[in-house]
Amino acid sequence: MEQKRQSRNIKELFEKSIPFFLFLIASVSVLTTVGIIYTLLSETIEFFKRVPIVDFFTGTVLKPLSQTPEFGVLPLIMGTITSSLIAMVVAVPIGLMTAIYLSEYASDRVRKVFKPLLEILAGIPTIVYGFFAFTFVTPLLRELIPSLQATNILSPGIVMGIMIIPMIASLSEDAMSAVPNSMREGALGLGSTKLEVTRKVVIPAALSGIIASFVLGISRAIGETMIVTIASGSTKNFTFDITQSMQTMTAYIVEVTGGDAAAGSTVYYSLYAVAMTLFVFTLVMNMIARAVSRKFREEY
């Protein structure tokens, strides 16, 4: 009897410890996020003690290693936004059309083969995409656009679009597949064609998931590092000309961390200021994705 009581007590103690253990595991991601924000914020504050925040966000010249250094972040923001927009121009139509085909037109056999092949693109290392952009896409584009520089923002933007096609296609296809077949059958029963069902029933019903995939794709493009580092160059141009060499925020971070910037210097702290700006960009995009999903979500 005593042995049974001890066994029951051990079992109860074990059961009570499970929630605490799971709480500790769940806290890892939260604590990691807090640590990252603290690091970025503390170092960014140190940077803004040396460089006025207005000059940083309104300056169009970035010369961190000059004898008279200037720290305007607008060239980096322009390069990041330009490359991301080019990527989305490529990825959105191709990804959406692919999702429509997989969800509405492809047979089960074709879908089982085609979708995994498509998602192989997501497993290719980004450095491979970077060299593909630099050694293949750029020379090909220079045949069509003679004024295109050897390093430019157009080529990596296109390749980033190719890279995020699987994300947009997969998430959009999942959203469309979640639409009940009864809605499709009802529209077909009323005499609608397959295209009309897709355009007027399926896409509106799955709009929240589709838009969320677009926003997540933009966030992925904004945070891309290796492709733009290799193929877009390190020229800090503030320009709207996509044939010119431009630098993104991520490429600047790579340049500073791999360069000769001494710890404690203004150039060193500028790394954290740019990283904090990039963090805010990505956070805003994810917040927009959540807001859009809530607004357009359909309840079935």
Side-chain angles (χ1 to χ4, degrees):
M1 189 70 180
E2 182 67 24
Q3 186 176 2
K4 289 184 178 180
R5 185 181 299 107
Q6 290 179 352
S7 176
R8 186 169 57 252
N9 291 337
I10 292 174
K11 185 177 180 180
E12 290 177 353
L13 180 63
F14 179 76
E15 290 291 338
K16 291 180 180 178
S17 65
I18 289 296
F20 178 73
F21 175 74
L22 294 177
F23 173 77
L24 290 179
I25 297 299
S27 300
V28 171
S29 59
V30 176
L31 294 176
T32 302
T33 303
V34 171
I36 291 173
I37 294 175
Y38 173 77
T39 302
L40 289 177
L41 194 58
S42 59
E43 303 293 352
T44 301
I45 291 173
E46 181 62 31
F47 172 77
F48 286 131
K49 290 179 180 178
R50 307 183 183 192
V51 177
I53 188 171
V54 175
D55 293 348
F56 179 73
F57 285 109
T58 61
T60 58
V61 179
L62 180 59
K63 298 188 297 182
L65 300 176
S66 173
Q67 292 183 347
T68 56
E70 297 184 53
F71 292 94
V73 78
L74 285 183
L76 302 182
I77 294 177
M78 178 60 68
T80 301
I81 292 176
T82 302
S83 62
S84 299
L85 288 178
I86 294 172
M88 295 310 295
V89 168
V90 173
V92 166
I94 297 177
L96 183 58
M97 295 302 106
T98 302
I100 291 173
Y101 171 73
L102 290 174
S103 174
E104 304 303 315
Y105 291 92
S107 63
D108 290 339
R109 183 177 179 181
V110 172
R111 188 182 298 110
K112 289 178 181 178
V113 174
F114 193 80
K115 191 171 181 180
L117 289 176
L118 175 68
E119 292 176 347
I120 289 177
L121 288 174
I124 298 176
T126 57
I127 193 169
V128 175
Y129 279 115
F131 282 110
F132 173 71
F134 184 71
T135 61
F136 180 80
V137 177
T138 296
L140 184 64
L141 290 176
R142 294 186 79 178
E143 295 291 330
L144 304 174
I145 310 173
S147 62
L148 191 71
Q149 293 187 359
T151 55
N152 58 85
I153 203 66
L154 177 61
S155 174
I158 292 174
V159 174
M160 280 198 301
I162 296 173
M163 180 189 67
I164 62 179
I165 285 173
M167 174 185 291
I168 293 178
S170 181
L171 294 176
S172 297
E173 193 270 336
D174 289 342
M176 293 180 191
S177 297
V179 177
N181 284 328
S182 59
M183 297 181 65
R184 297 180 176 86
E185 293 166 356
L188 291 171
L190 292 173
S192 300
T193 64
K194 190 78 170 177
L195 180 60
E196 289 175 333
V197 172
T198 301
R199 184 167 55 89
K200 296 182 180 180
V201 177
V202 176
I203 291 180
L207 192 59
S208 64
I210 293 172
I211 294 178
S213 73
F214 293 166
V215 178
L216 290 174
I218 294 175
S219 299
R220 179 70 179 85
I222 289 174
E224 173 51 37
T225 303
M226 294 311 302
I227 297 176
V228 290
T229 299
I230 294 171
S232 69
S234 58
T235 307
K236 301 160 182 62
N237 283 330
F238 181 73
T239 178
F240 295 94
D241 187 355
I242 60 176
T243 65
Q244 300 294 313
S245 174
M246 301 174 70
Q247 191 173 50
T248 65
M249 288 186 280
T250 52
Y252 177 80
I253 293 171
V254 172
E255 179 187 9
V256 172
T257 54
D260 299 325
S265 64
T266 305
V267 178
Y268 171 79
Y269 286 119
S270 71
L271 159 70
Y272 292 94
V274 173
M276 190 68 183
T277 305
L278 181 63
F279 174 81
V280 171
F281 260 71
T282 307
L283 178 64
V284 168
M285 295 308 302
N286 282 290
M287 291 175 64
I288 291 174
R290 289 176 61 85
V292 169
S293 297
R294 284 198 301 268
K295 182 176 181 180
F296 290 99
R297 182 176 292 118
E298 298 272 351
E299 298 293 341
Y300 300 110

